[in-house]
Amino acid sequence: MTEVVKQVVRTLEVELGERSYPIYIGPGLRHQAELYRRHIPGRQVMVVTNETVAPLYLQDVMEALDGFQVASVVLPDGERFKTLEVWQEIIDTLLQQRFNRQCTLLALGGGVVGDMTGFAAACYQRGVPFLQLPTTLLAQVDSSVGGKTGVNHPLGKNMIGAFYQPRCVIGDTETLNTLDQRQLAAGVGEVIKYGLIDDPEFFAWMEQNMDGLLQRDPAALVYVVERSCRDKARVVAADEKESGQRALLNLGHTFGHAIETGMGYGEWLHGEAVAAGICMAADLSRRLGWLSAGEQGRVRALVQRAGLPVAPPHELGRKRFLELMAVDKKVLAGKIRLVLPKGLGHSVVTDAFDPQILHDMLDEYRTS
Ligand code: NAD
Ligand code: GLY
C-alpha cells in the first residue's frame, strides 16, 4: 500500500515565504502517518470532523496519528451549521480537554469543516497550527488551499473569518469515492472556474474528459485536483490577502453567494450556486460583447454536462438579487464589482459595465 501511494503522490507548494506549505495529492494518503508527523509540531491533536465523515474516515486518521494525544470533535453536518454558535463547540472542546498553545487542529471533511476548523485554529489562544485533510472534491480543489477561513452570518456568506494558512494539505483522492454524485458535481463547478479564469487548456481538457471525471476515474481525479491546486496556489502566492488578483477566484461567486443566502444556506450547494453564477457571468459578458454567443454556449454546455444548474432559481427577482449582491466583499464605494470572462480562459474584476444591462439580465431570469 505504502509503495503504491509513494508512486502516485503529487506534491505542490503554496509559496508564501515563511507561511509556505505543501499540498499532497494521491489515493490513500490519509493512512500515511509520516505525512502528519512532518507537520504536527506538538503532542496534542484535535481532529475536527462532522457526523457524516466521522464514521467513514475518523478511525483511519486516529490510527495514523498513533503516538499523539488525540481527541476529536464531531460537528453537525451542513452549511446551515457553519455558524459562530457551532464553531464555538470546537473552542469549548479544546478548553474542556485542556488543549494548550502547542496543540494542532486537523480538519477532516469538506469545505464547511475546513473553513470552521481553520477559523478556530486562527483564534484559539491567538493562533495554533492546523492541517487540512479535505474529503470533498470542492474542498480538495479549492477551499483547503489558500487560508480563507470563517463562518456565515444570516445576512451574508463567510462574513466572519480570517486569513490563516494551514501547515499542509493532505488531499486523499480515494475519499472522493464515498461522495454522492450531487456533491461530486458541485466540486466540478469550482473546477470549471479555473479554466475560465486563466487556464484555457484546462477548460478544453474538461470538455474532452468530463465523463471520466464524473465516473471518478482515479487518474482524472488526481489530475483535476493537482491542476486546480496549481492554478489556485499561483494566484494565492501572488495576492494572499486579496488586495487584487485573488478576487478572480470569485468568478461566479457574487451571484452564487446571493443564491445561497437568498435561498437559505444548504438549499443550493455552494458549488451549484457557483455554477449558476458562472453561467450568469458568461451571460453578462456576452451581453457586453466580451464573449461570443458560441463561447457562452460552451460554458453553459460544460456546466450542464457536469449536471449543474445553468440559471438561478426563479424565486430571486432583480430587487432581492441586488440587495444580496450589495453585501459582497468585492463591493467598493457602493459599486458592485464582478468577475467576468473576456474570452474563454481570461477573466477580469470590473465595475465597468452599464448596471442596466445587469438589471435586464436579472429580470429575464425571473421570467424565463
Ligand atoms: P460540505 O463541507 O458541506 O460537504 C458536502 C457534503 O459532503 C457534506 O454533507 C459532508 O458531510 C459530505 N462529505 C464530506 N466528505 C465526504 C466523503 N468523503 N464521503 C461522503 N460524504 C462526504 O461542502 P463542500 O462543498 O465541501 O464545501 C462548501 C463550503 O466550502 C462552503 O461553506 C463554502 O463557502 C466553502 N468554500 C470555502 C473556500 C475557501 O477558500 N475557504 C472556497 C470554496 C468554498
Ligand atoms: N475561493 C476563493 C478564494 O480562495 O479566494
Side-chain angles (χ1 to χ4, degrees):
M1 170 87 179
T2 306
E3 278 315 301
V4 176
V5 168
K6 275 188 181 148
Q7 279 165 23
V8 293
V9 65
R10 305 278 204 282
T11 308
L12 308 173
E13 189 79 3
V14 183
E15 306 279 0
L16 288 169
E18 61 184 14
R19 289 184 312 290
S20 296
Y21 55 94
I23 305 169
Y24 305 105
I25 301 160
L29 297 189
R30 68 187 180 285
H31 299 292
Q32 295 266 306
E34 207 279 315
L35 284 186
Y36 303 85
R37 287 213 185 92
R38 221 181 276 171
H39 300 285
I40 296 176
R43 302 297 313 147
Q44 296 180 312
V45 183
M46 179 68 71
V47 182
V48 183
T49 186
N50 74 20
E51 60 201 3
T52 303
V53 178
L56 295 168
Y57 301 115
L58 184 55
Q59 178 72 22
D60 292 346
V61 171
M62 291 297 214
E63 280 169 17
L65 290 170
D66 188 34
F68 290 96
Q69 180 197 328
V70 192
S72 62
V73 50
V74 179
L75 303 175
D77 182 8
E79 184 74 33
R80 69 183 194 286
F81 296 111
K82 191 179 168 184
T83 60
L84 265 185
E85 292 72 31
V86 175
W87 172 84
Q88 198 178 322
E89 286 179 28
I90 306 173
I91 305 294
D92 291 348
T93 310
L94 286 163
L95 285 168
Q96 282 155 6
Q97 308 241 353
R98 305 261 186 277
F99 269 54
N100 60 36
R101 290 185 83 178
Q102 278 71 49
C103 75
T104 296
L105 271 54
L106 193 158
L108 172 68
V112 170
V113 165
D115 282 11
M116 291 174 81
T117 307
F119 187 42
C123 298
Y124 188 61
Q125 306 210 12
R126 301 202 179 88
V128 297
F130 88 109
L131 274 54
Q132 289 270 19
L133 205 161
T135 60
T136 62
L137 181 62
L138 187 140
Q140 291 189 7
V141 298
D142 192 350
S143 62
S144 63
V145 174
K148 280 189 181 176
T149 72
V151 296
N152 299 328
H153 186 279
L155 295 179
K157 268 283 289 179
N158 299 331
M159 280 293 150
I160 306 160
F163 286 99
Y164 195 68
Q165 302 294 342
R167 293 294 174 100
C168 76
V169 179
I170 302 173
D172 181 346
T173 49
E174 199 174 77
T175 61
L176 304 180
N177 291 329
T178 52
L179 264 188
D180 69 36
Q181 203 61 24
R182 185 178 172 200
Q183 294 290 353
L184 187 84
V188 175
E190 297 279 16
V191 177
I192 293 172
K193 171 185 89 174
Y194 293 116
L196 280 171
I197 292 171
D198 66 354
D199 194 349
E201 241 182 53
F202 194 19
F203 188 88
W205 183 93
M206 278 181 271
E207 290 183 313
Q208 297 296 315
N209 295 282
M210 184 57 80
D211 294 343
L213 178 57
L214 293 173
Q215 285 156 21
R216 302 172 211 222
D217 169 66
L221 288 176
V222 171
Y223 177 80
V224 158
V225 175
E226 184 182 3
R227 187 145 186 162
S228 301
C229 287
R230 198 179 292 283
D231 284 346
K232 179 158 185 180
R234 195 178 52 245
V235 176
V236 169
D239 178 21
E240 182 185 7
K241 302 260 171 86
E242 199 167 309
S243 45
Q245 76 173 96
R246 183 165 180 172
L248 288 170
L249 294 173
N250 287 321
L251 173 63
H253 284 59
T254 305
F255 296 118
H257 285 168
I259 295 171
E260 283 186 273
T261 309
M263 296 302 288
Y265 296 127
E267 200 56 40
W268 277 52
L269 300 182
H270 177 72
E272 293 171 341
V274 167
I278 287 172
C279 291
M280 294 172 78
D283 188 353
L284 188 56
S285 285
R286 197 254 312 148
R287 289 165 194 255
L288 295 167
W290 297 349
L291 273 192
S292 68
E295 289 170 326
Q296 184 205 351
R298 280 174 66 189
V299 175
R300 202 181 149 93
L302 191 60
V303 169
Q304 203 152 32
R305 271 183 65 201
L308 289 163
V310 294
H314 288 288
E315 288 92 323
L316 301 180
R318 180 225 293 199
K319 184 167 169 290
R320 182 74 181 122
F321 241 113
L322 292 174
E323 266 168 24
L324 290 161
M325 287 166 70
V327 185
D328 188 76
K329 292 191 231 46
K330 286 186 296 308
V331 168
L332 205 63
K335 260 188 141 177
I336 291 176
R337 291 189 307 148
L338 293 171
V339 185
L340 297 176
K342 273 195 167 177
L344 283 187
H346 176 64
S347 295
V348 293
V349 185
T350 182
D351 63 5
F353 52 85
D354 178 354
Q356 191 56 48
I357 299 181
L358 170 65
H359 297 176
D360 291 346
M361 182 181 90
L362 294 174
D363 284 340
E364 282 177 36
Y365 283 121
R366 185 64 184 260
T367 50
S368 61

